[in-house]
Amino acid sequence: TAKLSPEKLLCQLRDRVNVTMIQGSDGPFGASEWQQYLPGKSLSETVGHLGRCAVVSSAGSLKSSHLGQEIDSHDAVLRFNGAPIKGFQDDVGQKTTIRLVNSQLVTVEEKQFLREALYNTGILIVWDPAPYHAEIHEWYRKPDYNFFESYKAYRRTHPEQPFYILNPKMQWQLWDILQENSLEHIQPNPPSSGMLGIVIMMTLCDEVDVYEFLPSKRQTDICHYYQKFHDHACTMGAYHPLLFEKNLVKHMNQGTDEDIYTHGKATLPGFRKVRC
Ligand code: NCC
């Protein structure tokens, strides 16, 4: 199928991608043992009405960007996985409102996850690469990474910190739109944390500035701003359909190409501001 106009695409995202967090009413999570763990308030109640928001990718191209002040000037900042702030404030800022983590980190890196102070700031959201359009029950029995016990352990030690589980339906609703707007077949793997975080912020904020998701002139094979590791796939994608995600964001960008080139910055409207 042909690509939709940016306006139509924004409407599709707004109307077809249901950004919800797991609640007690979601099948197996209604069991009494879960009641004490899931946050009482919804995510939008917890964050309130947000104006300008920033999404900070973990790309190596953030290094020496000096974007810290600009990023912190936003009402809310979303970061990913283990992306640190300490020692990198000048480039990535120091505000963290939401941290989106994948279920691999919560299980495989459980020790660090439960111990490191990095995770204790802001609101946590975990997501898991569930099977394509699986029912909640099916996913619950067979998550990609069984992070549920680790989630509970974290909730027991940090009961006051809001910590949500993303409803996995969202990632496949988003994937369907990615596929429909690409001329090639996309690998049937869920979108990256980056793309999920962008859409989450579009539901919460009036405007979303995304940093170094579309790479700037600082583009590099260095995977993360906080590590020495080189891998081209970090920017272009291997498991995740990252290239298609980036094309979609480029297509919807309301900022200038100059802002992408110099600041790695793309600007997207919040869904509240989209008229269909
Ligand atoms: O690397 P990762 O992602 O934590 O990065 C977060 C998001 O930033 C964007 N990004 C990152 C690097 C780069 N050079 N360019 C980018 O655009 C992407 O949108 C990315 O999603 C993930 O998506 O959850 C991912 O997580 C890591 C890893 O699991 C976590 O960092 C925890 O250690 C994955 N790496 C591996 O499994 C080895 C990565 O594939 C995806």
Side-chain angles (χ1 to χ4, degrees):
T1 49
K3 254 193 181 178
L4 296 173
S5 68
E7 294 74 23
K8 290 224 171 87
L9 191 52
L10 282 164
C11 292
Q12 293 271 308
L13 284 174
R14 187 194 74 172
D15 298 338
R16 290 174 53 197
V17 184
N18 228 328
V19 180
T20 54
M21 304 297 145
I22 292 291
Q23 296 172 301
S25 52
D26 291 311
F29 297 92
S32 58
E33 51 140 342
W34 271 102
Q35 290 311 305
Q36 54 187 309
Y37 290 112
L38 296 175
K41 281 200 212 165
S42 74
L43 175 61
S44 60
E45 280 174 311
T46 302
V47 298
H49 183 118
L50 297 173
R52 293 175 58 245
C53 298
V55 172
V56 185
S57 95
S58 304
S61 46
L62 272 156
K63 195 103 189 85
S64 306
S65 67
H66 306 293
L67 285 166
Q69 271 200 346
E70 177 174 332
I71 288 167
D72 281 343
S73 76
H74 292 78
D75 300 325
V77 177
L78 181 139
R79 302 181 192 278
F80 299 102
N81 297 318
I85 288 164
K86 224 191 226 158
F88 303 96
Q89 289 98 326
D90 188 42
D91 293 329
V92 302
Q94 45 192 338
K95 189 185 276 187
T96 304
T97 314
I98 302 179
R99 186 175 286 274
L100 179 62
V101 297
N102 64 42
S103 57
Q104 182 186 1
L105 179 145
V106 174
T107 45
V108 180
E109 301 169 38
E110 179 179 14
K111 274 211 185 79
Q112 293 101 292
F113 177 67
L114 295 178
R115 209 182 287 146
E116 280 178 20
L118 168 74
Y119 299 105
N120 304 161
T121 307
I123 298 162
L124 290 172
I125 303 176
V126 60
W127 74 276
D128 177 72
Y132 185 73
H133 289 302
E135 274 311 308
I136 292 277
H137 282 96
E138 186 191 340
W139 168 62
Y140 186 76
R141 274 193 307 271
K142 238 177 152 284
D144 198 31
Y145 287 92
N146 200 330
F147 66 96
F148 298 121
E149 288 314 311
S150 180
Y151 171 86
K152 289 177 182 170
Y154 191 97
R155 292 289 287 155
R156 282 192 293 271
T157 47
H158 305 88
E160 301 306 324
Q161 187 182 7
F163 189 177
Y164 295 92
I165 301 170
L166 186 68
N167 190 319
K169 285 201 161 88
M170 177 227 175
Q171 66 219 26
W172 293 112
Q173 293 163 343
L174 176 56
W175 186 92
D176 285 343
I177 294 175
L178 281 166
Q179 176 62 87
E180 287 166 19
N181 286 278
S182 306
L183 296 168
E184 294 156 69
H185 279 287
I186 306 183
Q187 65 269 36
N189 298 324
S192 71
S193 296
M195 190 68 211
L196 297 173
I198 290 167
V199 176
I200 290 171
M201 285 316 240
M202 288 171 82
T203 67
L204 300 172
C205 312
D206 292 333
E207 185 172 86
V208 183
D209 289 328
V210 184
Y211 291 94
E212 292 290 1
F213 185 65
L214 305 182
S216 70
K217 62 183 176 190
R218 291 177 297 274
Q219 177 166 13
T220 165
D221 278 355
I222 297 170
C223 187
H224 296 128
Y225 68 82
Y226 52 89
Q227 282 172 337
K228 290 240 151 66
F229 175 65
H230 286 249
D231 187 355
H232 185 65
C234 293
T235 304
M236 304 310 276
Y239 170 77
H240 297 293
L242 205 49
L243 194 61
F244 301 95
E245 301 170 14
K246 293 184 186 213
N247 283 334
L248 202 77
V249 169
K250 176 76 173 61
H251 191 54
M252 296 187 295
N253 179 32
Q254 300 193 330
T256 64
D257 286 349
E258 166 71 14
D259 264 341
I260 297 174
Y261 184 70
T262 55
H263 302 300
K265 172 177 159 181
T267 302
L268 303 174
F271 291 133
R272 280 195 292 265
K273 299 283 165 187
V274 172
R275 293 284 159 266
C276 299

